[in-house]
């Protein structure tokens, strides 16, 4: 079955509008009757197919008595629901809640994550996560706990049923001291536990491989059953969703290169086992690493 032409903006618009309609207690048919619309017209709007204008959207939101913040969000999204690619700019720091990313994770069938300098968000323990957030130069201390809770919501979106995840992690990310020695050891044990889940593949990228295709930085690749794939890039003050075919194809090539150079699943698990033992035996020397097998080519 061909995948639907859809955009991140369009899906967020539709999801938000459906939520407002449900909260107002309307069915699609009932709301169409109130507005004197054809039900198909309302369906097209919710599914990002157009057929309405800004004035009609304003009338719809008025009938639903949408909250001002929700109304503003929907009216901002509306003109660009069919535009591919979305650069979300936030000001001085990332928002506490990653609403758009969580909704895309919840709809995805496949996730590929690459991180060259830290344990990926979805695989972090609470204390490792706390240490990362606390180290930020832009996040106020008062937001740390709220961010912890918001990131746990994102983590649950990854590990719900139906999503297969592959995590490529650079060896250097595991050598970086984050938090106390106990936090480091607990994080390695957590990676070991996660790596044996049927829906999770953990692949370690060995330091000895040298220069590599992923040096531009971390990214998430999401594939869907119904929609075209996308790539998510998160920076200090913004998030970029890449949807254009050529851009997504480029990241698939990066994934292919990482796959060829990274350790296999079993060798990665054994690497983590040795690393966990090394941290327990020599906690004063977190930089010492065991020998690793040759990369699988």
């Amino acid at each position: 079955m061909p995948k639907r032409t859809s955009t991140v903006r369009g899906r967020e618009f539709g999801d938000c509008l459906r939520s407002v309609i449900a909260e107002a207690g309307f069915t699609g048919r009932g709301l169409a009757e109130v507005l004197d619309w054809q039900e198909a017209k309302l369906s097209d709007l919710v599914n990002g197919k157009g057929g309405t204008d800004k004035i009609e959207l304003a009338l719809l939101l008025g009938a639903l008595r949408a909250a001002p913040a929700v109304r503003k969000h929907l009216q901002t999204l509306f003109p660009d629901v069919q535009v591919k690619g979305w650069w979300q700019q936030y000001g001085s720091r990332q928002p506490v809640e990653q609403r758009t990313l969580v909704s895309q994770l919840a709809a995805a069938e496949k996730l590929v994550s690459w991180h060259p300098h830290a344990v990926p968000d979805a695989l972090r323990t609470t204390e490792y996560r706390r240490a990362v957030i606390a180290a930020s130069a832009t996040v106020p201390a008062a937001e740390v706990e709220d961010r912890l809770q918001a990131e746990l919501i994102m983590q649950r979106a990854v590990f719900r049923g139906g999503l297969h995840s592959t995590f490529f992690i650079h060896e250097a990310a595991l050598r970086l001291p984050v938090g106390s020695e106990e936090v480091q050891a607990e994080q390695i044990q957590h990676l070991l536990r996660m790596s044996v889940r049927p829906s999770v593949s953990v692949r370690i990228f060995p330091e000895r491989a040298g220069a590599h295709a992923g040096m531009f930085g971390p990214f998430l690749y999401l594939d869907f059953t119904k929609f075209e794939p996308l790539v998510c890039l998160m920076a200090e003050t913004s998030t970029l969703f890449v949807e254009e075919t050529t851009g997504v194809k480029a990241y698939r090539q990066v994934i292919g290169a990482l796959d060829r150079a990274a350790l296999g699943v079993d060798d990665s698990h054994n690497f983590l086992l040795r690393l966990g033992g090394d941290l327990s035996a020599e906690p004063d020397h977190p930089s010492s690493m065991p020998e690793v097998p040759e990369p699988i080519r």
Side-chain angles (χ1 to χ4, degrees):
M1 179 181 295
K3 296 189 177 184
R4 261 173 42 198
T5 300
S6 175
T7 69
V8 174
R9 263 184 279 232
R11 293 196 290 276
E12 178 155 325
F13 178 87
D15 290 344
C16 186
L17 186 54
R18 288 186 194 94
S19 178
V20 174
I21 292 171
E23 289 175 4
F26 282 101
T27 63
R29 177 175 297 179
L31 182 57
E33 290 177 356
V34 168
L35 297 169
D36 195 25
W37 289 6
Q38 292 291 324
E39 193 172 352
K41 178 175 180 175
L42 180 60
S43 177
D44 285 347
L45 176 63
V46 171
N47 289 301
K49 296 181 180 180
T52 55
D53 56 30
K54 290 183 178 180
I55 294 175
E56 288 180 318
L57 176 62
L59 291 172
L60 168 62
L61 296 176
L64 294 172
R65 298 188 178 182
V70 174
R71 181 193 297 261
K72 181 179 179 181
H73 182 57
L74 286 168
Q75 290 176 321
T76 300
L77 288 174
F78 179 70
D80 299 317
V81 292
Q82 296 180 338
V83 177
K84 287 187 173 183
W86 191 3
W87 184 27
Q88 297 181 335
Q89 300 180 72
Y90 308 120
S92 64
R93 58 185 180 274
Q94 286 276 346
V96 173
E97 296 181 2
Q98 292 288 343
R99 176 171 54 189
T100 305
L101 178 56
V102 169
S103 67
Q104 300 311 304
L105 288 169
E109 178 187 36
K110 177 183 177 182
L111 162 69
V112 179
S113 168
W114 159 244
H115 216 307
H117 55 260
V119 172
D121 288 6
L123 294 178
R124 293 173 183 173
T125 64
T126 299
E127 292 309 313
Y128 184 102
R129 192 183 304 277
R130 189 190 305 277
V132 171
I133 297 173
S136 170
T138 60
V139 174
E143 284 186 7
V144 172
E145 294 304 317
D146 287 341
R147 287 179 178 272
L148 274 174
Q149 294 306 311
E151 290 190 13
L152 289 174
I153 292 173
M154 182 169 62
Q155 193 175 50
R156 286 195 289 271
V158 173
F159 297 115
R160 44 91 185 162
L163 177 64
H164 185 276
S165 303
T166 299
F167 297 93
F168 291 99
I169 311 172
H170 199 285
E171 179 182 334
L174 304 175
R175 303 180 81 170
L176 181 68
V178 176
S180 66
E181 294 165 356
E182 290 76 13
V183 169
Q184 288 286 99
E186 180 189 15
Q187 179 62 70
I188 297 302
Q189 292 303 313
H190 182 66
L191 287 174
L192 281 165
R193 289 191 294 271
M194 297 303 295
S195 70
V196 297
R197 288 193 174 195
S199 61
V200 177
S201 297
V202 175
R203 305 279 304 279
I204 306 303
F205 193 97
E207 204 167 56
R208 64 172 60 174
H212 55 84
M215 293 180 73
F216 274 108
F219 63 84
L220 296 175
Y221 171 91
L222 296 177
D223 209 349
F224 305 85
T225 303
K226 298 180 180 180
F227 313 122
E228 295 298 321
L230 63 85
V231 174
C232 177
L233 308 173
M234 299 180 70
E236 186 72 35
T237 62
S238 65
T239 298
L240 174 64
F241 291 94
V242 179
E243 299 179 88
E244 288 292 346
T245 302
T246 52
V248 173
K249 181 180 178 181
Y251 278 96
R252 278 204 295 265
Q253 292 175 317
V254 174
I255 291 170
L258 293 173
D259 180 63
R260 290 188 292 273
L263 303 179
V265 171
D266 291 341
D267 286 339
S268 294
H269 185 79
N270 291 334
F271 174 87
L272 290 170
L273 281 171
R274 289 195 293 272
L275 176 57
D278 184 65
L279 289 174
S280 299
E282 299 184 75
D284 293 331
H285 303 282
S287 62
S288 62
M289 298 292 290
E291 286 297 313
V292 299
E294 288 295 329
I296 295 176
R297 301 289 182 182

